[in-house]
Amino acid sequence: MNRKKLLLPLLFIFVMILWGCSGGGQAASENAAGNRAEAAQADNSAPNSGEAPGTDEKAPQELVIADQEIAAALDPVQPLTSSYLIAIGAGETLFKADPEGKIRPVLADSAEAIDANTWEISLNPEAKFWSGKKVDAEAVVASLERSRELDKQVVPYIQDLTFSAVNASTLQVETARENMDVPLNLSSYQTLIHNAEAAYDSVDTMDLSGMYKVTAFEPQKRMELAVNENYRGTKPAIARVVHEQISDEQTRVLSVLSGASHIAHKLPVSAIEQLQAEDTVTLATTPASNTQTVYLNLDQPKFQDVRVRQALSWGIDRQELILQAAEGQSFPVTTWLSSNPAFAEARSAVYAQYDPEQAGRLLDEAGWVPDGSGIRMKNGEPLTLSLMTWGGDRALGETLQYQWAQLGIQAEIQHGDYSLIETARETGKWDAFIEAWSTFGEPHTLLTGQYSPEGGGNYGGFDDARANELLAQLEGASDEASRHALALEANTYIAEQAPVISLYPRPQVTAVSSTLEGFVDHFRPFENLVNEHLKFVSP
Amino acid sequence: MNSRRGSHTLVFGMVMLVLLAVPIFAAPWLSLDDPLAMNAGARLARPSLEHPLGTDRFGRDLLTRTLHGGRTTLLSCGLALGSALAVGMLLGALAGMFHGSWFDIVLMRIIDVLLAFPFMVFAMVIAALFGTSLFHLLLAVVILWWVNFARLTRSIVLNTRKSTSVDAAFVLGISPLRILLKELLPQAFGPVLVLATFELGHLILAIAALSFLGLGSQPPSPEWGSMLADGRAHFMTTPHVLLGPALFIVLTVLAFNCIGEGLRDRIDPYEKHRI
């Protein structure tokens, strides 16, 4: 009896060995894909089913999107909520960036610079909120002022702007600085236009203007939307959208491969090879215009010495980092702004190459010298660092940990939910974390948001006289050439002095079912999940 | 007959365990690669003479990591189980010795509550409260895992207390502590050892599962469960990344189960018929 009991596990082990060594997984994957395709053909109720070529009338009219995170609230002034509402077609801004980076009107009709400090924005006369209320100048001003009051993240984009209604269809914007690019600032998701009189405590009381209306919502779980029948423009071809939160990245991969969802967003780069082998999905891999950045806390005495911060940056082999943590799907940047194509020349303005010897010298000078075991010590304390990561950044954290370990720095990785990072920031008890902010926008606005003492993204507490002076000069620059030159100078100085380490633009991987047509890849992740031209077709 | 079959199972389990344990515990002295050393040029390499189990996404040798991960898993499981065993036997023996006392009653109610608590949920609560680390995971093990040993020890002590030899010892005025140590506890060692062997297999699976969820060992330390989690993303294209940890988990649990079954048959050959 006992011998018989042993047979089964031994047989299982034997099969596993054979399978593992023969690369059977690939074959199994292909077979699975084939089976799935057959199943989809056979079952018209499956999301990726279809019969005739071209648009499939019997295709499902519900688009399922699996995302790493969905909105945690309905009120667009809550952190990040506006980005999800725009991505899913519920919310709109006055302007948006097209995939080429050009700014196009959305709720606005046109924009004109009257003089160096004044813009006039004509609003689309057909624009209405879901409630039927017109999106007129008063409503836009009320929306932006509500955001200014309640959403700290919008401050960098509108802090220098004063809004007033000229008449129902014309908005006037006074700028504190000359020659500001107001439409660019008003294309950021934080400036989502919403009815400021609405309550936003349920799907019935919220009032936005997008082509889809929210019909059901479970925070951080599921949002259901249906076509806004009163939408002014082209109505979307797909009647319903479900935005589903699936936090585990590998589960999102399986979700789109199995046909349970049609779009899987923010997939791990490690899944690229697997997804490329499948003919049931297509891949979108446009790099985002943001910079993976390590933020350091200046409240920690060890990071108050600029030599330590610089050593951490010199001690990173970014090329290897990209290979290990991003499957080679990005490029190294050493300054924050340089993931923006307009500032590509600043990609290696400082820390031009991996230089562990320079890093070691700086640490020696700062008093952190290796002990017998190679650990850098000062006053009997080891140089340690607790690095918080979230989402798909665990591999990035682990590679950084290894590279810093070569310098004698003990890094501990804490990988978990983003809320852990938020909590740590609130309490001030953190060493370092990784985050990627957008670098597409007006340089002064972006740099002020990250590096001025009052900037919402200045997590490390950077307050430097020279940096503030450069930002002030940038604010006063009157022509494009001098603005660009000053932005570069500030960007370079900040890379050397601020408690941040720029790594590379975050690669973004989206898998789209081959039954779906019209998906537009975009360098701004919040601009692209749905559009009015999306439709189901036969695979 | 049962006893002989039990011996075969026991020997099989012991041999398998030795075959696994020797390379695992000798790993630091074998001329293997550094388990933490990354090599971007050898990422996800298939099994070869240089890397018998291939490499992971960081180019780390999977055989080396599997063996070092085994040290982490086995040592931590052994330590946690040893602690749970000591606590459980001590409290169970005291409860049995002072049967019906307030200590016995309170302890049994605590055991009832802890037995109703799912281990995975409890470990997640501990991780949420104190952070994710192997130490906190093992703490959760010790807090919950002692109850089975306490119940078994208590029941054996209660049973043995009724024997004439124990009655005689009391009559002769021998101290309760001495009776407990010399007469009662030795009776519990055998059954508790059998239970511990089975529990060790369960514990390895539980710790691997929790490390898989990111609640146990943290990077870069190799651990079988976290290695499975790391390899999961590449499973469809490079399945060999799961081979090492999966194989060692299966074989180790199998070895402990065989040892447990063999020990049970040897210690109590009639147990199987009764079940």
Side-chain angles (χ1 to χ4, degrees):
Chain A
M1 182 63 190
N2 284 337
R3 283 175 191 161
K4 282 182 185 171
K5 275 186 180 176
L6 289 172
L7 276 177
L8 191 62
L10 286 174
L11 185 66
F12 172 71
I13 292 157
F14 183 64
V15 169
M16 275 193 70
I17 293 168
L18 281 181
W19 188 44
C21 295
S22 66
Q26 182 68 39
S29 159
E30 286 163 10
N31 288 339
N35 291 340
R36 272 194 300 277
E38 284 169 22
Q41 295 271 344
D43 180 9
N44 274 342
S45 65
N48 56 356
S49 64
E51 286 181 352
T55 305
D56 183 2
E57 290 176 1
K58 289 185 180 177
Q61 283 303 297
E62 186 171 271
L63 172 68
V64 182
I65 301 169
D67 211 335
Q68 179 183 324
E69 199 172 43
I70 71 162
L74 292 172
D75 193 337
V77 298
Q78 296 300 316
L80 295 176
T81 298
S82 49
S83 74
Y84 299 120
L85 291 171
I86 290 173
I88 208 71
E92 293 176 313
T93 43
L94 290 173
F95 302 90
K96 70 182 290 182
D98 69 14
E100 283 73 48
K102 292 191 170 56
I103 301 301
R104 309 282 186 200
V106 182
L107 284 169
D109 214 18
S110 62
E112 185 185 0
I114 305 299
D115 57 46
N117 288 95
T118 312
W119 282 76
E120 273 196 1
I121 298 171
S122 298
L123 299 174
N124 186 325
E126 304 295 320
K128 288 179 182 170
F129 293 112
W130 298 338
S131 62
K133 179 184 173 181
K134 286 199 75 170
V135 182
D136 57 19
E138 291 286 354
V140 170
V141 172
S143 169
L144 292 168
E145 292 304 334
R146 183 172 183 269
S147 296
R148 193 201 302 269
E149 186 185 341
L150 300 174
D151 183 4
K152 196 178 173 187
Q153 290 185 346
V154 80
V155 171
Y157 301 97
I158 63 173
Q159 65 180 350
D160 292 328
L161 309 182
T162 306
F163 304 101
S164 59
V166 176
N167 55 47
S169 62
T170 309
L171 180 74
Q172 189 172 74
V173 184
E174 297 283 341
T175 65
R177 292 182 285 119
E178 292 186 345
N179 306 309
M180 280 184 72
D181 192 340
V182 170
L184 182 60
N185 276 9
L186 295 181
S187 72
S188 67
Y189 66 81
Q190 292 91 343
T191 62
L192 182 150
I193 301 302
H194 57 285
N195 183 354
E197 294 167 357
Y200 300 98
D201 51 7
S202 75
V203 294
D204 299 322
T205 57
M206 69 186 297
D207 202 10
L208 307 178
S209 63
M211 59 186 167
Y212 282 109
K213 290 174 72 169
V214 181
T215 56
F217 176 58
E218 291 177 74
Q220 293 183 305
K221 197 172 179 186
R222 184 181 170 91
M223 180 179 273
E224 294 178 17
L225 304 100
V227 168
N228 170 15
E229 295 298 341
N230 298 319
Y231 190 62
R232 64 187 181 281
T234 310
K235 289 190 185 61
I238 296 174
R240 292 181 304 281
V241 174
V242 175
H243 195 203
E244 207 167 32
Q245 178 164 316
I246 301 178
S247 303
D248 183 72
E249 55 192 21
Q250 196 58 29
T251 310
R252 288 198 297 280
V253 173
L254 295 176
S255 168
V256 73
L257 287 178
S258 68
S261 59
H262 304 98
I263 297 174
H265 197 217
K266 295 182 182 171
L267 298 179
V269 285
S270 57
I272 287 178
E273 194 184 348
Q274 177 188 356
L275 291 164
Q276 281 172 337
E278 300 283 348
D279 55 5
T280 54
V281 294
T282 54
L283 274 183
T285 56
T286 298
S289 62
N290 59 26
T291 304
Q292 287 277 40
T293 305
V294 179
Y295 289 81
L296 302 168
N297 187 359
L298 283 183
D299 284 343
Q300 304 290 352
K302 59 195 163 201
F303 299 133
Q304 287 168 3
D305 189 329
V306 70
R307 291 168 296 189
V308 173
R309 306 198 296 265
Q310 291 176 346
L312 287 171
S313 197
W314 280 115
I316 294 172
D317 184 344
R318 289 171 173 79
Q319 287 288 3
E320 186 171 304
L321 202 64
I322 290 164
L323 190 62
Q324 298 278 34
E327 302 285 326
Q329 299 291 318
S330 194
F331 49 85
V333 298
T334 61
T335 66
W336 184 72
L337 210 50
S338 54
S339 61
N340 180 338
F343 296 94
E345 69 259 51
R347 283 178 186 171
S348 54
V350 287
Y351 316 114
Q353 59 187 26
Y354 172 52
D355 193 344
E357 288 175 10
Q358 171 71 355
R361 272 194 297 276
L362 285 166
L363 288 172
D364 288 343
E365 285 172 22
W368 294 98
V369 291
D371 67 359
S373 61
I375 305 295
R376 291 196 177 263
M377 309 282 286
K378 185 177 179 181
N379 302 327
E381 293 289 323
L383 182 51
T384 59
L385 166 67
S386 176
L387 177 64
M388 302 177 81
T389 60
W390 70 290
D393 291 342
R394 183 182 156 126
L396 172 56
E398 209 168 332
T399 314
L400 284 170
Q401 179 187 43
Y402 177 71
Q403 294 189 355
W404 283 334
Q406 309 308 304
L407 294 177
I409 300 167
Q410 290 181 313
E412 178 200 357
I413 304 300
Q414 290 184 339
H415 187 76
D417 192 73
Y418 185 70
S419 61
L420 295 175
I421 295 178
E422 288 181 305
T423 306
R425 278 205 302 253
E426 283 166 16
T427 59
K429 292 175 182 170
W430 58 280
D431 280 350
F433 63 83
I434 295 173
E435 196 159 295
W437 276 85
S438 171
T439 56
F440 181 79
E442 199 200 27
H444 176 265
T445 304
L446 293 168
L447 291 170
T448 303
Q450 291 286 311
Y451 304 110
S452 72
E454 61 277 359
N458 184 5
Y459 303 117
F462 183 59
D463 186 1
D464 181 275
R466 175 68 183 146
N468 295 340
E469 185 187 327
L470 283 168
L471 291 176
Q473 287 175 15
L474 179 59
E475 182 179 7
S478 57
D479 64 279
E480 182 56 39
S482 61
R483 270 202 300 274
H484 189 82
L486 275 165
L488 280 174
E489 188 180 348
N491 181 52
T492 304
Y493 179 79
I494 283 164
E496 289 177 319
Q497 301 295 324
V500 291
I501 302 169
S502 300
L503 304 172
Y504 55 81
R506 178 179 276 172
Q508 50 175 4
V509 181
T510 306
V512 182
S513 165
S514 52
T515 62
L516 198 62
E517 189 179 274
F519 181 84
V520 179
D521 202 3
H522 202 292
F523 63 90
R524 270 178 156 178
F526 61 86
E527 295 280 17
N528 69 331
L529 283 181
V530 301
N531 66 65
E532 63 272 33
H533 304 299
L534 272 181
K535 62 181 180 185
F536 288 106
V537 292
S538 298
Chain B
M1 182 66 183
N2 268 335
S3 180
R4 226 172 77 189
R5 198 154 57 198
S7 294
H8 290 158
T9 314
L10 179 63
V11 169
F12 178 78
M14 295 289 280
V15 168
M16 195 189 291
L17 186 63
V18 168
L19 288 176
L20 291 168
V22 166
I24 284 173
F25 287 102
W29 296 279
L30 298 174
S31 55
L32 295 170
D33 293 345
D34 179 350
L36 308 182
M38 296 185 179
N39 179 2
R43 301 178 71 243
L44 297 169
R46 289 193 175 276
S48 62
L49 283 176
E50 191 182 357
H51 303 290
L53 292 178
T55 61
D56 67 4
R57 68 173 293 178
F58 297 110
R60 298 178 296 204
D61 181 61
L62 276 167
L63 176 63
T64 310
R65 284 184 68 77
T66 303
L67 295 179
H68 280 81
R71 282 164 60 85
T72 311
T73 304
L74 291 182
L75 284 175
S76 55
C77 285
L79 189 68
L81 195 74
S83 306
L85 194 77
V87 172
M89 282 192 78
L90 179 68
L91 294 178
L94 289 174
M97 189 73 189
F98 303 105
H99 174 58
S101 67
W102 64 267
F103 175 78
D104 179 38
I105 293 166
V106 170
L107 187 76
M108 291 315 290
R109 295 298 78 76
I110 291 172
I111 286 176
D112 288 341
V113 171
L114 291 179
L115 276 174
F117 222 104
F119 171 66
M120 299 289 264
V121 175
F122 187 72
M124 286 177 192
V125 170
I126 293 280
L129 289 175
F130 303 111
T132 52
S133 76
L134 190 58
F135 175 76
H136 294 143
L137 180 56
L138 297 180
L139 190 69
V141 169
V142 176
I143 291 173
L144 277 197
W145 226 272
W146 62 271
V147 293
N148 289 328
F149 302 117
R151 269 164 62 109
L152 180 62
T153 308
R154 178 180 176 273
S155 67
I156 291 168
V157 167
L158 274 178
N159 207 31
T160 314
R161 263 193 67 179
K162 294 171 189 164
S163 68
T164 50
S165 62
V166 173
D167 284 344
F170 272 114
V171 169
L172 289 170
I174 296 172
S175 72
L177 182 66
R178 194 174 168 80
I179 294 172
L180 184 70
L181 294 176
K182 292 283 183 184
E183 293 291 328
L184 301 178
L185 269 182
Q187 298 296 320
F189 280 139
V192 167
L193 184 65
V194 173
L195 179 66
T197 318
F198 282 119
E199 291 292 319
L200 197 53
H202 295 155
L203 190 55
I204 289 169
L205 289 176
I207 286 188
L210 286 162
S211 291
F212 182 86
L213 295 174
L215 300 178
S217 165
Q218 295 297 304
S221 304
E223 197 278 335
W224 290 342
S226 58
M227 286 174 71
L228 287 177
D230 289 344
R232 193 175 56 126
H234 304 277
F235 175 61
M236 300 301 278
T237 48
T238 48
H240 69 267
V241 293
L242 300 184
L243 191 63
L247 196 64
F248 272 71
I249 288 173
V250 170
L251 293 178
T252 310
V253 174
L254 185 66
F256 280 116
N257 283 348
C258 288
I259 292 170
E261 196 162 325
L263 279 175
R264 188 188 61 189
D265 287 350
R266 281 185 72 105
I267 290 170
D268 185 358
Y270 303 105
E271 177 73 12
K272 192 174 271 183
H273 292 302
R274 281 208 289 272
I275 290 170

